[in-house]
Structures are given as structure tokens and as C-alpha cells.
Amino acid sequence: MAYSQPHPRLSLLSNSSVSSMEHFSPTTSSTRFSLPSSAPTTLGANKPPLSRPNIYDRNLAKPRVSDVSGAAFSFLFSEIVQYTQKRVSGINDLERRLNTLGYRIGTRVLELMVWRVESSSKAPKREIRLLPSLMSIHTQVWRAVFGKPADAIEKSVENADEYMIIDNDPPIERHISVPKDMSQLSCSSFTAGIVEAVLDGLGFPARVTAHSTPTAQFPSRTTILIKLEKSVLEREELLKQ
């Protein structure tokens, strides 16, 4: 980049004054000028610069639930729902996409939880029974994702392959208002995707869906319905013998 030349300035010194000034210049005068050998030190000059903490340097074995603001998470999730809603053809398509997003989160949650268990235990144990695995999802997975366990877990009376995890106040739906023409929509399909990913990773393949079951006391009450595959029930029967 070319810079413009500075404006011309008028000299206030005449030729005689210049010659008189040369008499006092350090090169012609016998007077010696000495400079300090070193620059003066200032307080705090030797302190290392402050560095921001790096998220990759944190200890994964110590969970920190309060890392994410609940308001920030709700705002981000509501924007995800609005963004997805504009690109789908119906309620079923919207729930399917939310389920897919939750499935991606669930695979990472399971990987982190397994790593923490193996790093903190000298003899880590992999659970192969269904009920203990469901209780782990009800308590540990819910606490890792939402900061609290689910409210209940039930088994269907009519169908032996169905289990239900109940959340009376889902955090992801606290700041979402569903229009009347979309009353069948359940944004907890995102949570259902997380549960389905964890079950697949543990070796219990299932189809997981979310259903709104409001009550007078809990208007946002949601039921996560787990429908297991036939191979899971057959394996459970063999383990009982």
C-alpha cells in the first residue's frame, strides 16, 4: 500500500541558528552523554501471561454438570426445532429428524460413560442383563444429559417387550410451545433417539419413541416407549436358566 507524502513544513531555524546548534551536538561537543545500561524494570513484568483454560485439558473422569447453561441449551434446542420444522413435510418427518439428532448424541454419551466407568474401576463390568441396563439409563444417562434422573420406569402389562421411562418435566420442552394444529408433536423424540442409541450400544436393539402423556399436575409429562426386539427377550430367557 502506498502512503502519501507528509505535508511540507516550514523550518523555524535559520542557517546561523543551525550552525550554532551544531556546536552543542553530541558529535562536536566535548560533553559526553551517558545512557542507562538497562531499561528500568516494572512491577509484574516477569509474570507469565494469563492463558484461557482449554476444554481439551479437562479431566473427563470428573463430570461437570453445570458446564452448560439451561437457558442456553433451551434456546439452542428451540432453534433446532424451528430450523428443522421449515424443512420437513409433516409431524412424523420432524420427529424422525429429531430422533436422528438425538441418536448421534446418545452414541457419544455412551462412549463417555463407559470410559469413565473403566477408568475409575479396577475391574469394570459390562452389564448384559436388561433391567440393570434400563435402570442405568433411567438414572445415569438422564443425570449426565439433563442433570437429574428420570421420574419412573415401568413395564407394560399387555406387552412383554415394552418398557416405559417417564419424565414429568422434560427440560428440553420447558420453553417450547406446540401449536394447536401440531398437538401430536413430541419434541422429546430427541430424547428417544438418545435412549435408542444407548440401548443399541449396550446390545439391546429396540425401537424407541416419545409420547406426550400430560396430567393436571404435570402438563409436560412425557413417556419414552421402548419396544425391544425379539432377540433381546430370547436372550433374557436363556440367561434366566
Side-chain angles (χ1 to χ4, degrees):
M1 180 180 295
Y3 294 92
S4 59
Q5 296 295 330
H7 297 287
R9 298 181 181 181
L10 296 177
S11 176
L12 300 180
L13 298 177
S14 61
N15 294 333
S16 59
S17 61
V18 172
S19 60
S20 62
M21 289 294 294
E22 292 178 353
H23 177 71
F24 296 99
S25 63
T27 55
T28 58
S29 175
S30 59
T31 307
R32 301 284 184 175
F33 296 92
S34 61
L35 298 176
S37 58
S38 62
T41 58
T42 58
L43 296 177
N46 297 328
K47 291 184 178 180
L50 298 177
S51 59
R52 299 181 62 182
N54 192 341
I55 190 174
Y56 297 105
D57 295 334
R58 294 181 181 178
N59 189 358
L60 293 177
K62 296 181 179 180
R64 300 175 60 181
V65 181
S66 60
D67 276 350
V68 180
S69 170
F73 176 81
S74 299
F75 175 77
L76 177 61
F77 185 74
S78 64
E79 291 295 319
I80 291 175
V81 174
Q82 296 179 39
Y83 176 86
T84 309
Q85 182 183 357
K86 298 177 182 179
R87 290 161 175 80
V88 297
S89 57
I91 296 178
N92 293 333
D93 192 14
L94 176 57
E95 291 182 343
R96 180 182 60 81
R97 293 200 180 191
L98 292 176
N99 187 286
T100 302
L101 292 175
Y103 194 96
R104 298 175 182 176
I105 302 297
T107 55
R108 291 163 174 78
V109 170
L110 177 62
E111 181 181 3
L112 178 60
M113 293 182 59
V114 170
W115 186 89
R116 285 174 176 170
V117 171
E118 292 181 352
S119 61
S120 60
S121 176
K122 296 182 179 180
K125 175 185 177 182
R126 178 188 174 187
E127 189 59 58
I128 60 175
R129 300 302 300 270
L130 176 61
L131 290 181
S133 299
L134 292 176
M135 290 301 301
S136 175
I137 295 175
H138 166 274
T139 305
Q140 299 178 11
V141 173
W142 240 259
R143 183 178 286 112
V145 178
F146 303 116
K148 68 178 187 67
D151 294 289
I153 181 171
E154 300 176 357
K155 181 180 180 180
S156 175
V157 179
E158 300 177 354
N159 301 316
D161 59 346
E162 292 183 355
Y163 289 82
M164 293 164 284
I165 300 178
I166 300 174
D167 194 339
N168 292 330
D169 185 22
I172 62 175
E173 295 192 8
R174 291 176 183 174
H175 305 284
I176 294 180
S177 58
V178 180
K180 293 183 179 180
D181 57 342
M182 302 180 64
S183 58
Q184 298 179 354
L185 172 65
S186 177
C187 294
S188 291
S189 298
F190 179 82
T191 306
I194 296 177
V195 175
E196 185 171 346
V198 174
L199 286 173
D200 288 348
L202 293 176
F204 301 95
R207 180 73 178 99
V208 185
T209 55
H211 305 272
S212 298
T213 54
T215 61
Q217 185 177 1
F218 302 105
S220 300
R221 185 174 183 266
T222 301
T223 299
I224 306 298
L225 178 61
I226 303 172
K227 189 172 184 61
L228 301 166
E229 291 189 1
K230 185 178 179 180
S231 59
V232 177
L233 300 180
E234 293 176 351
R235 185 178 59 191
E236 285 293 312
E237 292 296 330
L238 292 175
L239 293 176
K240 290 180 181 179
Q241 298 176 2

